[in-house]
Amino acid sequence: MSKIIQSKLPNVGTTIFTVMSQLASDTGAINLSQGFPGFSPPSALLDRIKHHLDHGDNQYAPMAGVPALRSSIAEKTATLHGRDIDAELEITVCSGATEGLFVAIQALVRRGDEVIILDPAYDSYEPAITLAGGVTRHNALLVGSNDSNFSIDWQLLQDTVSSKTRLIILNFPHNPTGAILQAADLDRLANLVRDTDCYLLSDEVYEHIVFDGNTHHSLLEHDELWERTMIVSSFGKTFHATGWKIGYCIAPRLLSEEFRKVHQFVTFTVNTPVQNGIADFLRSHPEFYIELPDFYQRKRDLFCQLLEGSRFKLTPTQSTFFQLLDYSAITEEDDVELAKRWTHEAGVASIPLSVFCEKPLTGKLLRFCFAKDDETLQAAAKQLSAL
Ligand code: PMP
Ligand code: GLN
């Protein structure tokens, strides 16, 4: 047998999140790179999970998810977005958004199909497309005059859509730029896909973290878009519990059927006590996710205010728990090398944006996670302000 493996993903290395978190840990730097909250999930949620662990909820859950969780997701969706979802047939609980995205892509993309993603794009999309035999078409988001204000380049998107396009992947609220969609954007998207056969995959993991009085516009709010969309979300971001790896896919019945055909052979099902605990908590404590934007907006404002005297330029992010900082006034260096160097020398780890892009970005930007306690943000800002 040949000693050389013909890799199915020859261009893929270890993810930037693993690389930067490892470097932060090796160097003792403050880790604002990989996005994970520095606080515990709410204690009432932990209590409900412990309750289910102690009361025999420890065997396989139904393949699509426990009914109580699916119906509490349906209730939340009806309240927030005004659409009645069939909890039995249109919601599938999955092992984090990563599984949901992978499954959605395997379920929809056939050999040779084109899939459009919007750069900077989350790093799990392209490998999943490649494994499905699809071809990734990168569309850069439009950059505003201040280099950190991103939006969909509608003309470019229109020009990229063709009869070969099987899927467009969107991610709003957007990691890493914080860009959000307005209601009018949904109409624009509907106009764009109306006479095509392409499906939409909407990564909405930051659905509950949108600032400045804006609201999250899910693609499922729009009747025409809903018919062709799989929405994937995650409880990791919403409940400060990224390590639980639990999320969900909402899609119309026929699309959910295709999703489940794949999901049942990827993880089959997600751990039972956490599903039941989240089901209880979603019903009993809706204020937790309703108040989440205020909680994170205060963190964002603190982080931005602490950096006021620094040489970084910034536009406060509109969503997510990531803030982009423009370092062009400090150095012209490449962002990947700089993120590593500053982890060593400034003691703060960040994520370079270029790893999410096919073409180089015009701006000089690094991404910092502000989902941390105030003391950590103060210490990080002090070290960044010295640069
Ligand atoms: N999509 C985006 C845009 C993300 O930022 C993340 C993770 N932070 C995921 C998907 C994956 O979510 P999960 O951890 O639930 O797999
Ligand atoms: N989504 C997280 C981020 O953007 C990281 C997830 C991961 O480490 N795979 O930082």
Side-chain angles (χ1 to χ4, degrees):
M1 192 183 170
S2 161
K3 290 237 164 58
I4 297 165
I5 297 174
Q6 294 291 318
S7 176
K8 294 183 75 176
L9 296 171
N11 302 321
V12 171
T14 305
T15 81
I16 192 70
F17 307 115
T18 301
V19 170
M20 293 309 300
S21 273
Q22 185 62 49
L23 193 59
S25 148
D26 293 346
T27 57
I30 300 172
N31 189 3
L32 304 190
S33 64
Q34 187 181 27
F36 60 89
F39 1 85
S40 299
S43 57
L45 170 58
L46 296 176
D47 288 345
R48 290 316 297 163
I49 292 172
K50 286 179 211 152
H51 168 87
H52 288 288
L53 275 168
D54 288 342
H55 287 79
D57 257 1
N58 296 304
Q59 308 309 328
Y60 290 130
M63 182 268 280
V66 300
L69 179 55
R70 285 187 275 136
S71 50
S72 48
I73 294 168
E75 279 165 26
K76 172 169 89 75
T77 309
T79 309
L80 296 180
H81 302 295
R83 180 166 299 283
D84 287 327
I85 306 291
D86 183 334
E88 179 59 32
L89 301 174
E90 297 179 325
I91 297 177
T92 308
V93 179
C94 53
S95 179
T98 310
E99 193 231 339
L101 293 162
F102 187 81
V103 166
I105 291 166
Q106 303 314 308
L108 291 173
V109 178
R110 304 155 304 178
R111 186 150 299 281
D113 282 340
E114 289 191 1
V115 181
I116 302 174
I117 67 174
L118 307 180
D119 285 357
Y122 189 63
D123 66 345
S124 81
Y125 307 153
E126 184 159 12
I129 296 164
T130 307
L131 288 173
V135 177
T136 306
R137 300 287 310 268
H138 292 259
N139 252 210
L141 285 178
L142 205 58
V143 189
S145 51
N146 60 4
D147 270 358
S148 52
N149 204 350
F150 291 78
S151 58
I152 296 178
D153 186 336
W154 291 104
Q155 190 56 53
L156 182 62
L157 188 56
Q158 174 88 61
D159 294 346
T160 314
V161 172
S162 74
S163 57
K164 293 194 206 127
T165 312
R166 173 73 163 177
L167 182 66
I168 303 174
I169 304 181
L170 298 115
N171 165 219
F172 296 97
H174 185 253
N175 174 13
T177 69
I180 55 173
L181 293 181
Q182 302 298 344
D185 292 318
L186 301 186
D187 291 331
R188 241 175 145 162
L189 186 60
N191 291 340
L192 200 145
V193 295
R194 185 162 301 129
D195 298 320
T196 73
D197 286 327
C198 71
Y199 295 100
L200 301 168
L201 172 56
S202 186
D203 175 350
E204 302 185 8
V205 301
Y206 299 97
E207 58 178 327
H208 296 297
I209 314 180
V210 173
F211 308 134
D212 305 317
N214 285 304
T215 49
H216 167 54
H217 292 288
S218 172
L219 263 60
L220 58 72
E221 286 176 9
H222 195 285
D223 289 344
E224 275 183 271
L225 296 178
W226 160 243
E227 286 171 13
R228 54 172 91 216
T229 301
M230 288 187 180
I231 281 130
V232 169
S233 191
S234 170
F235 291 115
K237 325 287 162 193
T238 305
F239 294 140
H240 311 325
T242 57
W244 291 355
K245 297 302 292 184
I246 175 164
Y248 54 91
C249 172
I250 306 182
R253 188 169 60 83
L254 292 179
L255 286 176
S256 285
E257 269 173 24
E258 294 307 311
F259 184 93
R260 290 177 185 183
K261 285 183 193 173
V262 182
H263 161 74
Q264 65 185 337
F265 298 121
V266 176
T267 55
F268 179 61
T269 184
V270 178
N271 82 79
T272 316
V274 174
Q275 289 199 57
N276 276 315
I278 292 180
D280 296 346
F281 186 78
L282 270 179
R283 281 225 172 83
S284 59
H285 290 76
E287 76 286 354
F288 187 82
Y289 58 79
I290 290 166
E291 289 165 9
L292 202 59
D294 286 347
F295 172 79
Y296 273 123
Q297 187 168 323
R298 205 193 67 74
K299 295 272 171 207
R300 176 201 68 176
D301 291 347
L302 173 68
F303 189 54
C304 292
Q305 176 219 320
L306 288 166
L307 287 166
E308 260 165 27
S310 78
R311 291 201 287 160
F312 290 99
K313 281 184 275 176
L314 64 87
T315 307
T317 187
Q318 294 179 278
S319 68
T320 78
F321 43 55
F322 302 117
Q323 178 63 49
L324 297 183
L325 297 185
D326 175 337
Y327 61 83
S328 58
I330 307 176
T331 170
E332 280 300 297
E333 270 172 83
D334 162 79
D335 62 349
V336 177
E337 287 317 308
L338 187 65
K340 290 182 181 163
R341 184 166 76 78
W342 277 352
T343 304
H344 283 280
E345 294 173 12
V348 183
S350 59
I351 294 289
L353 253 65
S354 60
V355 297
F356 305 125
C357 303
E358 183 184 49
K359 295 203 187 93
L361 279 163
T362 47
K364 295 276 177 197
L365 297 166
L366 293 173
R367 189 198 82 175
F368 293 80
C369 173
F370 56 78
K372 305 293 166 191
D373 58 44
D374 291 359
E375 294 70 38
T376 305
L377 295 179
Q378 276 151 2
K382 191 168 173 206
Q383 285 159 227
L384 293 171
S385 298
L387 290 167

